[in-house]
Each structure stands twice: as structure tokens, then as C-alpha cells.
Amino acid sequence: MEEEKTIPEVVLNSGQKMPMLGFGTGTVPLPPPHVLIPAFMEAIKVGYRHFDTAAYYGSEEPLGEAIAQALDQGLIKSRSEIFVTTKLWCTEAHSGLVLPALHRSLQRLGLEYVDLYLIHFPVRLRQGAKGTKYGKEDILPLDMKGTWEDMEQCSKLGLAKSIGVSNFGVKKLSQLVQNAIITPALVQVEMNAAWQQENLRKFCKEKGIHVSAWSPLGANGAVWGSLAVMDSPILKDIALKSGKSVAQVALRWIIEEGATPIVKSFNSERMRQNLEIFDWELSESDSEKIKQIPQHRGFKGERFVSEFGPFKTLEDLWE
């Protein structure tokens, strides 16, 4: 029996512990449950304890099923061993709709609480707007104060042990923090060696907000993804020199920067490799070299921009 890897934990400002590596469950197109459930169970088997889902992904139900089966089979002893993050979709980012949305997520997950609940985007869509096929008139200004008060309610009721946001830039985060009673525990953003998010991380450090990184390898399988990370000559060079894979170097860099990568691979071999980033370090000169990698955002989010909506430019959306 191979020994599963234990993943170090970070303590969030809510006092909750979170494993420093997350397993992402959102992918397009989403494989059917009979493919997903065994993949999630395999991830639990090899040592993942932090799973990231969202109402929008459609993966809450298979994830819940995998956790239930893992308990049945004794892969884990109790629900508390798994850290589950889910997210509020933009059509429910309305004051009064947050709590019911979380209840539906919990129902799909088959859980009594989630460990972390995030606002998925700093965007509100008209109720009933479907998928990515909504019209520009469906994009509404976010009632940040009202929505966050509802998120705080989820926390007070114990339905979410920690609350936070996703895809918020510095400007929106500071706006949120000004009005918040409960400071967000975490912000999840696109972050990798080719999009390092330095300003945001500096801001979060000052405010005690943890950063987690989606697309830590540049999402090279996604429509909007790129090979900026996996084909980086700098990362290839460091990988060759240290006897690691490019992915391992890229993930290790995120860990050393104090952020939590959310990895996504349903391939058992790669799942294992992605775990092997905790027992070695990058040299100082390697870290310096990584800072030289040309920077560009992968996911642009054009679909949220409209001359009639709250975000007239991409800058408005991400700032």
C-alpha cells in the first residue's frame, strides 16, 4: 500500500485550517459522473484533501457522491478530513438569493456545511440568465454590500466555515473590506508564473487575506489558456536543472509565494506528481529568474464587459 502524501496546511483569518494544495473540479466540457466520481476518489486516495467546486461547474453532485463513497470505503474517517470550497454564481449574487443558493449547493454536495464559500465573480447577472449565453442587458451592477452581508449570514449560520471572493481585484477588494464585518478569508484568482498578481498579493498580505491560485499552470487545455507557463524557457531550464517537471516548478513557485494552487488533472500519474512539491525548494536565483517571465492575463472575461453595463472595459472588470 503506497503511502499517501500529507499536504501542509495554512490557517485562514477565520481560524480554519486549509490544505495548501487544492484539487479543481471545473472543466469544459464536464465529463459525466461515472468518469468524475472515480477521478475524485482517486484524488482522495493519493492524498488530496481540499476540493474546489462551484455551482456553475456542475461538479458539486459528483464531488459529494465521491466524498460519501470515500467515507463508506474508509478512505477517510470523517467529513471533517475534507476541505470543500464552492462558489456563488452571478445569477444568485443578489441580496436575498445568497442563502438559498448555498442551501442548493449543500443539497447537491450532500453536506451540512462547506469549508469555504466564495462569490465567484464581482458580477451580478439577471436572475434566470443562462450559462454564457446571456445578453449584455443581463449584466447588472453588483450590490457588493448587500451580497457580502448575505455571505456573512452564511458564515454566522455555520453553513460556511469561511467566506471569501474569487476574481476580485485590489480596488473591489478594498471596497468590500471597508464595509465588511467579516473580512474575506481568501481571494481566489488566476495566478501563475506568467500572471503573478504581485499588487493583489501585497494588498492581501496587509489585510490578512489568503490567496489561492486557479490556472496555476496557465490552463493550457482551456479555450482561453496558453502555453506561457508550460513552454516557458525559464521554467524549463529550472526544471531540467532540478530534476523536476515544469509543472512541479510552477506549482512550487506558487507555494513559496505563500499562495495555494488549485490543480486540475484527472490523470492519476499527474495527480501524484502535482503532490510532490513540498519536500524541496527553489533556489533564490531561480525565484528571481521566475520574476522575469513576461506577464499576461489568460482569462480576459470579455463576456462581462458591455458599453451599457457596469464594466465598460476589461480594466473596470478586473481593477
Side-chain angles (χ1 to χ4, degrees), residues 252-301:
R252 178 67 204 176
W253 174 79
I254 292 173
I255 294 283
E256 289 188 13
E257 292 297 320
T260 295
I262 307 292
V263 292
K264 197 163 57 189
S265 174
F266 298 157
N267 167 307
S268 157
E269 189 40 45
R270 276 200 297 274
M271 279 183 197
R272 284 182 167 78
Q273 283 175 1
N274 289 340
L275 285 172
E276 287 164 9
I277 55 172
F278 294 106
D279 54 358
W280 53 279
E281 285 174 5
L282 293 165
S283 71
E284 216 165 298
S285 71
D286 286 345
S287 303
E288 281 309 309
K289 280 181 201 143
I290 292 173
K291 286 201 173 90
Q292 312 308 313
I293 293 175
Q295 296 294 296
H296 63 268
R297 181 187 293 286
F299 179 78
K300 301 282 190 292

Side-chain angles (χ1 to χ4, degrees), residues 169-182:
V170 171
K171 214 156 138 189
K172 293 186 181 63
L173 259 181
S174 46
Q175 219 182 318
L176 178 65
V177 170
Q178 272 162 15
N179 291 312
I181 294 168
I182 300 174

Side-chain angles (χ1 to χ4, degrees), residues 109-124:
L109 284 158
L111 300 176
E112 284 171 15
Y113 66 89
V114 289
D115 298 275
L116 179 62
Y117 196 39
L118 305 177
I119 298 178
H120 204 147
F121 276 96
V123 176
R124 173 162 63 148

Side-chain angles (χ1 to χ4, degrees), residues 15 37 44 69 81 94 124 139 151 164 167 206 221 267 274 285:
I37 296 168
I44 293 172
Q69 289 187 26
E81 285 178 42
H94 299 248
R124 173 162 63 148
I139 307 168
M151 294 289 286
N167 301 307
E206 285 162 15
N267 167 307
N274 289 340
S285 71

